[in-house]
């Protein structure tokens, strides 16, 4: 198994197919369930001493896993209470087999079952929940969340949608979660990610080769996905062979965003980087920049003239540019000229009144652009896909947006999603909370521009930029401000093992 397969994320339906394919290859379903339950038992025993424990079981296979957990912990001398949602007689398949193997008392789920338990195992619904939790179960969940006890969830905390990470009605807050074979998107997308607590992925005997048949298109962001296309510096290389990035700046008082982007593009390895700016911004930029060059312009015509120079091969437009017709014109000119392009901030918002005006150009682009919206900017361009829409799924929304725009969508947040028009998608789960600081997105846009200047494809460049951005913030630690991210990029590059020192 390669590292890319190891980072695959499986939807609920894909995970069900992985189970069935493994069964088709000759491994019994009840053996998989036994292994799943045992992996939860090992997780619990590694973290807790024997105590009174409540195992909550649901009417499906997740509940079957819970019966396995209860049986083995009881055999190990733990005080086990088991409560079931529904009747034992209604259980089917492997869940019924595991219930029959349990010799302890089975009580109905209700608020009365929660007494003096120090630990709870949640095996009620699992990842495939398709309706909101209501009634007595919702009341019990609220009571458990208010109690001071640890909770281990089987697969996902009950109430969390395994595909979207969204809460269906109410959801349990887990101390830790044990899932099987591969993570699901809901483990990485908020709020599900926060509700999972510590996440452990265990091997229960599902055959890795089933991934070849499933062909997943979603991954957890990791260098294994894009290391091969990450720019490698060679002894015979020179600055002209590593591309020339250009960042468009706003006026004198709005030039900070462009400087953050330009310095990040240079730090990530672009051979040359220029800021092109109005004449009133020349002196402020010159006072702050050394290795970044400054190219003044007086209007849209000057940008068109710069675009005649084929060496200026990757552009960043939007940060601090202003929501003006001029900014919109820059975007259309750059994309239309076939340059690699990162469109951020004002370069996106300016098209809010007519998003298709942008998409008509990006869909025809010779080089696929990267659009880097935060939630608000995304909603302005894709109002039917934004976070306020019913049944919101960040992963599916980013995918649909990428298809609609014919561009890579880098939908920012603590759970950044990068999606390509062909359906590939990556979820980033390593961004620390202190990365949410003014100017951080400008640095990210610059990192992506610098990688595209060096010839990295748009999707891989976006994923790599997000990863480097997060690792740089991790290397610095709390107290980070955006000016300090760029200086931590060398630490991220060392982890990727692609820079010759």
């Amino acid at each position: 198994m390669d590292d890319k397969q190891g980072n695959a994320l499986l939807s609920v339906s894909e995970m069900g197919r992985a189970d069935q394919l493994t069964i088709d290859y000759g491994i019994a379903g009840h053996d998989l369930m036994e292994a799943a339950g045992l992996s939860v038992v090992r997780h619990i025993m590694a973290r807790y001493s024997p105590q009174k424990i409540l195992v909550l079981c649901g009417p499906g296979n997740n509940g079957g896993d819970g019966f396995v957990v209860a049986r083995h912990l009881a055999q190990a001398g733990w005080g086990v209470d088991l409560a079931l949602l529904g009747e034992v007689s209604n259980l089917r398949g492997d869940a019924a087999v595991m219930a029959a193997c349990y010799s302890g008392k089975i009580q109905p789920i209700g608020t009365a079952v929660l007494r003096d338990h120090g630990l709870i195992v949640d095996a009620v619904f699992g990842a495939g929940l398709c309706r909101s939790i209501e009634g007595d179960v919702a009341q019990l969940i609220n009571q458990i969340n208010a109690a001071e006890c640890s909770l281990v969830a089987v697969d996902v905390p009950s109430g969390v949608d395994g595909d979207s990470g969204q809460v269906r009605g109410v959801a349990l807050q887990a101390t830790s979660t044990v899932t099987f074979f591969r993570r699901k998107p809901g483990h990485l997308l908020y709020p599900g990610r926060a509700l999972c607590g510590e996440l452990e992925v265990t091997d229960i005997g599902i055959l890795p080769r089933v991934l070849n048949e499933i062909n997943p298109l979603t991954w957890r962001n990791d260098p294994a996905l894009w290391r091969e296309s990450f720019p490698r510096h060679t002894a015979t290389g020179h600055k002209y062979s590593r591309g020339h990035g250009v960042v468009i700046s706003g006026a004198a008082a709005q030039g900070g965003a462009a400087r953050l982007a330009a310095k990040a593009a240079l730090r990530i390895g672009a051979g040359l980087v220029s800021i092109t700016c109005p004449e009133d911004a020349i002196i402020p930029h010159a006072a702050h920049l050394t290795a970044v060059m400054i190219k003044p312009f007086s209007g849209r015509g000057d940008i068109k003239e710069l675009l005649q120079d084929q060496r200026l091969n990757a552009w960043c437009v939007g940060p601090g540019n202003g929501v003006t017709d001029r900014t919109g014109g820059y975007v259309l000119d750059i994309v239309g000229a076939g340059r690699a392009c990162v469109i951020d901030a004002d370069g996106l918002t300016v098209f809010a009144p007519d998003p298709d005006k942008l998409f008509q150009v990006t869909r025809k682009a010779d080089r696929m652009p990267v659009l880097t919206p935060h939630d608000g900017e995304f909603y302005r361009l894709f109002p039917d896909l934004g976070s306020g829409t019913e049944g919101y799924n960040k992963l599916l929304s980013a995918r649909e947006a990428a298809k609609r725009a014919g561009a890579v969508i880098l939908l920012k947040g603590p759970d950044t999603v990068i999606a390509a028009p062909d359906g590939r998608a990556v979820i980033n789960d390593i961004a620390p909370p202190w990365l949410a600081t003014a100017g951080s997105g400008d640095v990210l846009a610059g990192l992506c521009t610098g990688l595209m200047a060096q010839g990295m494809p748009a999707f891989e460049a976006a994923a790599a930029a997000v990863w480097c951005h997060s690792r740089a913030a991790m290397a610095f630690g709390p107290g980070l401000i955006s000016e300090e991210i760029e200086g931590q990029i060398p630490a991220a590059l060392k982890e990727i093992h692609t820079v010759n020192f």
Side-chain angles (χ1 to χ4, degrees), residues 246-483:
V246 183
V247 180
I248 297 182
S249 169
Q254 288 79 44
R259 288 193 291 273
L260 288 170
K263 292 177 72 175
L266 194 63
R267 181 69 77 175
I268 202 70
L272 301 99
V273 176
S274 294
I275 277 183
T276 182
C277 64
E279 292 184 0
D280 70 338
I282 294 174
I283 292 176
H285 284 317
H288 288 87
L289 299 172
T290 49
V292 174
M293 296 177 286
I294 302 170
K295 299 181 184 295
F297 67 82
S298 58
R300 184 175 174 184
D302 290 343
I303 296 297
K304 289 184 176 181
E305 185 176 340
L306 288 172
L307 286 168
Q308 298 301 311
D309 188 343
Q310 298 294 323
R311 296 172 299 180
L312 308 181
N313 65 328
W315 291 65
C316 177
V317 56
N321 291 173
V323 183
T324 65
D325 290 341
R326 177 181 286 189
T327 297
Y330 296 156
V331 173
L332 299 178
D333 290 341
I334 293 165
V335 176
R339 298 294 190 274
C341 183
V342 176
I343 309 170
D344 185 38
D346 296 340
L348 300 170
T349 299
V350 71
F351 291 100
D354 185 9
D356 201 52
K357 184 177 181 180
L358 172 63
F359 303 154
Q360 286 176 0
V361 177
T362 55
R363 285 193 293 261
K364 299 175 183 177
D366 292 336
R367 291 283 304 275
M368 186 177 293
V370 176
L371 280 56
T372 59
H374 55 55
D375 281 343
E377 293 159 347
F378 185 84
Y379 184 80
R380 290 172 202 139
L381 294 180
F382 308 97
D384 58 322
L385 301 176
S387 58
T389 55
E390 185 177 354
Y392 176 67
N393 181 323
K394 185 171 184 175
L395 175 62
L396 295 184
S397 290
R399 272 200 170 106
E400 175 58 29
K403 183 178 179 181
R404 189 178 301 178
V408 171
I409 298 294
L410 194 165
L411 181 49
K412 295 182 285 194
D415 50 359
T416 293
V417 174
I418 304 100
D422 62 7
R424 290 176 297 159
V426 166
I427 302 174
N428 190 72
D429 69 336
I430 63 168
W434 50 87
L435 191 50
T437 183
S440 173
D442 303 317
V443 176
L444 177 59
L447 293 174
C448 191
T449 303
L451 291 172
M452 293 173 75
Q454 297 171 79
M456 199 171 187
F459 177 73
E460 288 78 4
V466 169
W467 189 90
C468 290
H469 191 241
S470 298
R471 294 304 296 173
M474 288 289 288
F476 186 91
L480 177 78
I481 60 175
S482 57
E483 290 93 325

Side-chain angles (χ1 to χ4, degrees), residues 33-38 41 63-73 98:
M33 187 170 286
E34 181 77 9
L38 276 170
V41 170
D65 297 337
F67 276 101
V68 177
V69 173
R71 169 163 47 89
H72 285 283
L73 288 178
M98 294 307 169

